[in-house]
Structure formats: C-alpha cells, structure tokens
Amino acid sequence: GELNTMSLNDTLMQDMKTAMKAKDKEALTTIRSLKAAIMNYKIKVGHDLTSDDELTVLSSALKQRKESLEEFTKAGRDDLINQTKNEMKLIEKYMPKQMSKEELEETVEETIKEVGASSKKDFGKVMQALMPKIKGKADGKAASSIVGKKLN
C-alpha cells in the first residue's frame, strides 16, 4: 500500500497509553474495541491491513455505534447515548475528514460526467464509480440520494 508512516494500530497503541495515563476509561474501552476489530479483520483477510482495510474496520465500528445510538435514543437511555456519542467522536478522529454536502454533490456531478450517465438506469454505474472516492468520507445513503436526484 501507500507509505503510511504510522499505521492505525500504532496510533491506537499511542492513544491507548495516553488514555491509560489519563485514566480515561471511556477512551480506553473504545480504543481496545477498535484494536480487537483490526485484529479480527486481519485474521479474516490474512494479511496486514491496507489503509483501505483500516477504513473498512473504522466505518463498520462507526456504523455499529450509529445503530446502537438509535436503539438507546428509542429506549431513552441518556447515559448510553452520551457514551456512544463520545465513542463515535473518538472513532471519527481516526477517519479521513468527512466531506461536506457541497463536496459530496461536486463529487457526484464529476462522477456522473465521468461515466457518461444520463438517466436513472445508470444509477448503479455511477454508484460503483463513486463509492471508492467517498469511502469513509461520506455516507453512502446520502450519496445515493444525491445520485438519484441528479439522474432524475
């Protein structure tokens, strides 16, 4: 893969030491769960993770928290809502900067031009070309709704 001076795992190790010194239990728990997720994924794919793989692990960790957040919100569990929001913030720190709505729209427009899409039936083609560009940087659902609107 590309030259990455620090792998996600190294960064997590450092942050774990910092969290231990600060006795930050919440951060520790989240970092440990990310490290475990990375290990499991590494075993699954059978090689060291590329930065793309790392992103997959982080995205799925974030998605799990988003789903939990919805559950906790429905159940009115304020204690867990705050904790989950903090975990999400921490995970986002390790991910690429998120695209703004404008950036996402621009990327969608460029991609539509690129693949020469003209109608709804090109939706799949556009999404296929778009997803690698926005991976970890934008929400897939938001992207597909923009693509849908633009192809109308």
Side-chain angles (χ1 to χ4, degrees):
E2 60 270 33
L3 210 73
N4 194 350
T5 43
M6 291 249 308
S7 76
L8 178 59
N9 218 14
D10 296 336
T11 311
L12 289 171
M13 281 301 288
Q14 279 193 345
D15 289 353
M16 196 158 115
K17 287 182 192 134
T18 311
M20 278 173 169
K21 280 193 196 117
K23 300 200 169 27
D24 184 344
K25 281 205 183 75
E26 228 172 57
L28 264 177
T29 308
T30 306
I31 292 168
R32 284 203 177 108
S33 83
L34 288 176
K35 282 178 63 59
I38 290 170
M39 277 308 298
N40 294 339
Y41 198 78
K42 189 175 168 177
I43 293 164
K44 196 172 100 181
V45 293
H47 59 73
D48 278 329
L49 301 191
T50 62
S51 50
D52 222 32
D53 292 333
E54 292 177 347
L55 199 49
T56 303
V57 173
L58 289 171
S59 301
S60 102
L62 199 57
K63 191 172 167 235
Q64 283 166 356
R65 306 280 183 314
K66 266 189 189 145
E67 287 163 6
S68 304
L69 193 59
E70 284 168 22
E71 296 301 308
F72 298 149
T73 307
K74 274 185 208 141
R77 294 288 310 268
D78 293 339
D79 51 335
L80 294 173
I81 291 172
N82 289 329
Q83 187 188 331
T84 307
K85 281 184 178 160
N86 290 340
E87 287 179 17
M88 287 166 73
K89 270 197 204 95
L90 186 67
I91 296 169
E92 279 166 356
K93 204 181 86 178
Y94 299 109
M95 295 178 77
K97 200 170 121 0
Q98 297 296 300
M99 288 178 154
S100 67
K101 197 166 180 284
E102 293 73 33
E103 287 173 297
L104 182 55
E105 288 202 357
E106 269 169 39
T107 310
V108 168
E109 281 167 12
E110 282 162 20
T111 309
I112 289 174
K113 285 195 193 98
E114 224 170 80
V115 298
S118 55
S119 71
K120 272 270 195 278
K121 67 178 195 329
D122 298 317
F123 182 84
K125 204 163 48 170
V126 175
M127 287 304 290
Q128 204 177 355
L130 179 67
M131 286 319 280
K133 296 183 191 175
I134 66 167
K135 188 174 178 183
K137 291 184 250 170
D139 181 51
K141 277 197 203 108
S144 62
S145 88
I146 294 173
V147 171
K149 282 188 201 117
K150 302 267 182 210
L151 289 179
N152 233 340

